[in-house]
Amino acid sequence: MCEEHRLDGQARPMLREAVVTSNEAVSADVWLVTLESPEVASTVAPGQFVHLKIATGRDFILRRPFSVYSADAERIEILYQLVGRGTHELSLAEPGDRMDLIGPLGTGWEIPEAPVRALLVAGGLGVAPLRMLAEALTRAGSTVALAYGAPTAERLTGVEIFSAAGCQVMSCTDDGSAGTHGLVTLASGDLLGTGEVDIVYTCGPEVMQRAVAAQARDAGVRCQVSLERLMACGIGACLSCIVPTTAGQRRACVDGPVFNAEDVIWGDS
Amino acid sequence: MHRVDMSVAIGDLVLANPVLTASGTFGSGKEYADLIDLTRLGAIVTKGVSTSPWSGNPSPRMAETASGMLNSIGLQNPGVERFIADDLAWHRRSFPQVPLVVNVNGHTIDEYISVVRRLDEEEGISAYEVNISCPNVDAGGMAFGTTCEAASEVTRAVRAATARTIIVKLSPNVTDVAAIARSVEAEGADAVSLINTLLGMAIDTRTFRPKLARVVGGLSGPAIKPIALRMVWQVSSAVGIPVIGMGGIASATDAAEFMLAGATAVAVGTANFVDPRTAVHIVDGLEDFCASRGIGRVSDLTGGLITPDAAANRDREEGSR
Ligand SMILES: Cc1cc2nc3c(=O)[nH]c(=O)nc-3n(C[C@H](O)[C@H](O)[C@H](O)COP(=O)(O)O)c2cc1C
Ligand code: FES
């Protein structure tokens, strides 16, 4: 159940001032920012997030939660799409700027100790929390397949990183400009059909995650999802980010963002 | 610099400093304990507690707006028994020295009373903050805090049920907040706190849908500060009991404004989300504010506002000497 699923040994959240070391566009509206924050970088687990205070001025702006895309001993990388005021403001940050962050936050992916055959299913920037997961699984001796859907070839952000890391990658695009022409669930359905998948992890639009969760359930395979919610506090105090589950209302920022798909009570979205 | 006496009194309750957390934005403190030193706070005000569990509203429950945010959490809470077993137990174990004020909610007068009666059996609670912005199911869902009669009735019932300090938390969604404040003072409230959130809404023009699933919700943050300040000033002029001011407070100067308008203490809500250190920064900043002006007691700020009329009067007096 969700309640027990909070992983032991996860680092307590810290409030730190990170230094921007780079901030660049990787495609038309997707950016990658690198933040130096050794304590957070060295303790963040795959699937966790940080809560960033973006505004440097006096204007009121709530923090924004971002999945950690990659981390080494010193730095974390965050992949973000320019969608609104917060991400626009973030794109203006320059190397050397200081930025307040709270992290590592939330409950990340469950990573089996014994080698497994894992299927990762990403929709668009839902790929972000899957990169650290792929790395951790590979380190544990697991094999990783990635089914990755995006509107266009250009939006298959970071796809080459997964290939280079030895993952089997199946791309799907809405316009057919790369990989299979169509939805990512075609690829995930095919892979689950082979019977060679032990566990599914997915992140992306909620309709897609819900469809993937249904495919996994029908195939009798465990599935974890990473759900996005609007967050105010990010630390479990305000109850803005509720996910209805079979174990009651859970907070995406503490009990999630990763949930066991079978526990989630899906809404209308 | 002078040492400043930062203590303030709310009824019988003496606080080490005038900075509280606003209900619903701070849990019971546990979530913030990794990030700030809770012992620096004047008091912790808990999220709303009701007699049985309340599941709250559907998502989305939050939307950012210009200089503020809307929420429709719907007072989700696990009920008074779970509150005692989890939050209160944690507080007694970890931070018994920090005064705890429990925010009390009900859909009926009986529900308010049963929460207070149950909590009265427990140690470690310094005061109750009675949230009268809850919908009154016996009055078609209209909030208790919107009429003098219903506000009086809740206060009278809670007053009869407990000897602990009662702070009645006023709704700003009324035409005459001072009249409501006078009513609850007359029924024995030890203090009033204000303002709760202002009713508002926001629409997503890409989808033509409301940004909150419940369509309307409570506006908080810097956007509401001028309204909150005005209401604190009106209420503190109308009642003799202490006033706890809140609404958009994010800095020590904001807090000083509320105290000058008549507040004895202040609470920090939405600003905790942007920076969990805000309340602690305000404690330090208020002390500096007083010290740099030779003010020996923070309580001397309360009601220190010089209005044009008062200034004119003083000038007149001084000129005639
Ligand atoms: C997410 C959220 C939850 C709240 N929950 C409660 C509550 O349970 N009881 C209550 O009396 N007020 C509640 N409030 C109102 C605040 O305590 C406060 O009165 C209001 O937000 C104005 O202060 P601020 O602008 O500093 O946030 C809540 C406010 C927010 C933003
Ligand atoms: S964002 Fe506040 S509880 Fe999750």
Side-chain angles (χ1 to χ4, degrees):
Chain A
M1 289 267 111
C2 297
E3 205 156 24
E4 289 92 53
H5 148 221
R6 195 184 166 98
L7 305 177
D8 289 336
Q10 255 175 205
R12 304 301 306 166
M14 297 171 253
L15 185 50
R16 291 290 180 272
E17 194 170 65
V19 182
V20 176
T21 57
S22 77
N23 191 19
E24 280 160 11
V26 296
S27 62
D29 59 354
V30 174
W31 284 57
L32 182 74
V33 64
T34 308
L35 298 165
E36 191 170 280
S37 188
E39 288 159 286
V40 175
S42 58
T43 53
V44 65
Q48 288 193 295
F49 70 97
V50 294
H51 214 24
L52 261 192
K53 185 171 174 225
I54 292 162
T56 42
R58 288 217 51 201
D59 279 0
F60 172 88
I61 175 164
L62 290 168
R63 282 172 190 264
R64 296 288 190 272
F66 294 100
S67 291
V68 176
Y69 180 53
S70 79
D72 61 19
E74 307 285 324
R75 295 171 194 190
I76 59 170
E77 286 183 327
I78 289 167
L79 207 50
Y80 63 101
Q81 191 162 0
L82 300 190
V83 284
R85 183 170 161 232
T87 46
H88 175 73
E89 188 107 354
L90 181 55
S91 71
L92 304 177
E94 293 182 356
D97 285 356
R98 286 166 186 281
M99 207 171 274
D100 208 274
L101 68 77
I102 303 176
L105 292 172
T107 302
W109 308 106
E110 246 177 70
I111 299 163
E113 278 166 30
V116 291
R117 294 165 298 177
L119 169 61
L120 281 50
V121 188
L125 269 206
V127 76
L130 296 173
R131 178 168 163 198
M132 284 184 70
L133 171 66
E135 290 165 355
L137 286 166
T138 308
R139 266 200 308 277
S142 293
T143 58
V144 179
L146 172 71
Y148 189 177
T152 62
E154 197 208 10
R155 292 280 210 85
L156 286 165
T157 314
V159 66
E160 66 293 342
I161 295 173
F162 285 86
S163 312
C167 304
Q168 177 201 351
V169 178
M170 276 119 325
S171 304
C172 303
T173 50
D174 296 346
D175 67 351
S177 55
T180 307
H181 189 170
L183 296 176
V184 70
T185 41
L186 295 172
S188 56
D190 283 351
L191 278 161
L192 277 162
T194 63
E196 289 171 8
V197 175
D198 302 315
I199 185 163
V200 175
Y201 301 93
T202 180
C203 185
E206 198 154 315
V207 278
M208 180 213 94
Q209 296 197 59
R210 184 177 183 170
V212 171
Q215 290 178 328
R217 186 197 56 218
D218 294 346
V221 175
R222 261 200 77 198
C223 178
Q224 288 205 306
V225 298
S226 177
L227 300 177
E228 186 173 295
R229 287 289 180 277
L230 291 171
M231 292 182 184
C233 73
I235 56 173
C238 74
L239 309 182
S240 291
C241 63
I242 289 309
V243 173
T245 74
T246 51
Q249 312 234 56
R250 289 283 171 259
R251 297 161 298 181
C253 68
V254 176
D255 310 304
V258 174
F259 292 91
N260 289 322
E262 61 189 18
D263 296 339
V264 174
I265 299 169
W266 301 94
D268 310 324
S269 58
Chain B
M1 274 208 287
H2 296 260
R3 273 204 56 228
V4 180
D5 178 357
M6 292 293 286
S7 67
V8 296
I10 307 287
D12 293 337
L13 183 65
V14 177
L15 307 178
N17 69 64
V19 184
L20 290 67
T21 59
S23 175
T25 66
F26 208 73
S28 294
K30 185 163 56 182
E31 289 79 9
Y32 286 84
D34 286 322
L35 306 175
I36 63 164
D37 179 0
L38 296 178
T39 65
R40 301 288 321 280
L41 300 171
I44 292 170
V45 182
T46 71
K47 66 188 170 196
V49 177
S50 54
T51 172
S52 54
W54 287 2
S55 58
N57 290 325
S59 296
R61 293 173 161 193
M62 191 275 279
E64 188 171 67
T65 58
S67 290
M69 63 174 275
L70 289 163
N71 88 79
S72 62
I73 309 300
L75 295 164
Q76 181 190 329
N77 79 94
V80 68
E81 293 303 336
R82 276 275 305 278
F83 170 80
I84 291 168
D86 297 347
D87 295 48
L88 185 58
W90 178 84
H91 180 266
R92 284 199 293 225
R93 202 164 57 236
S94 312
F95 292 94
Q97 70 275 41
V98 184
L100 189 73
V101 177
V102 181
N103 185 267
V104 174
N105 296 270
H107 288 140
T108 62
I109 304 253
D110 285 345
E111 286 185 13
Y112 282 99
I113 298 176
S114 67
V115 175
V116 166
R117 288 227 171 96
R118 180 65 189 89
L119 291 173
D120 254 7
E121 297 167 17
E122 301 293 326
E123 314 255 288
I125 296 167
S126 294
Y128 301 119
E129 181 179 58
V130 184
N131 177 14
I132 59 172
S133 295
C134 300
N136 177 355
V137 295
D138 297 332
M142 205 164 74
F144 289 94
T146 56
T147 66
C148 291
E149 293 71 31
S152 302
E153 218 184 319
V154 180
T155 311
R156 190 184 317 135
V158 174
R159 177 74 292 162
T162 182
R164 281 186 174 146
T165 300
I166 302 172
I167 303 159
V168 177
K169 180 157 179 184
L170 306 179
S171 166
N173 302 311
V174 297
T175 35
D176 187 356
V177 70
I180 312 263
R182 278 192 296 264
S183 308
V184 304
E185 179 183 36
E187 296 297 344
D190 298 299
V192 289
S193 58
L194 70 157
I195 61 175
N196 211 316
T197 54
L198 281 152
L199 203 58
M201 71 185 272
I203 294 171
D204 184 340
T205 51
R206 287 169 310 174
T207 60
F208 286 29
R209 287 167 192 271
K211 288 194 178 173
L212 298 175
R214 276 301 292 269
V215 186
V216 297
L219 183 65
S220 63
I224 70 172
K225 199 191 93 178
I227 300 170
L229 196 58
R230 181 265 294 177
M231 290 191 161
V232 163
W233 179 64
Q234 289 178 320
V235 165
S236 62
S237 314
V239 299
I241 51 178
V243 173
I244 301 170
M246 70 195 84
I249 296 178
S251 68
T253 43
D254 291 340
E257 283 188 67
F258 277 81
M259 295 188 72
L260 291 170
T264 295
V266 295
V268 178
T270 302
N272 293 310
F273 303 152
V274 179
D275 189 342
R277 292 164 296 201
T278 307
V280 172
H281 286 166
I282 291 176
V283 175
D284 292 337
L286 267 181
E287 184 161 6
D288 291 347
F289 181 92
C290 292
S292 66
R293 287 165 179 78
I295 297 166
R297 286 182 308 207
V298 74
S299 57
D300 288 343
L301 291 176
T302 299
L305 180 71
I306 302 170
T307 55
D309 283 345
N313 286 339
R314 196 188 53 205
D315 288 348
R316 208 164 38 237
E317 280 168 28
E318 282 175 358
S320 64
R321 252 185 246 132

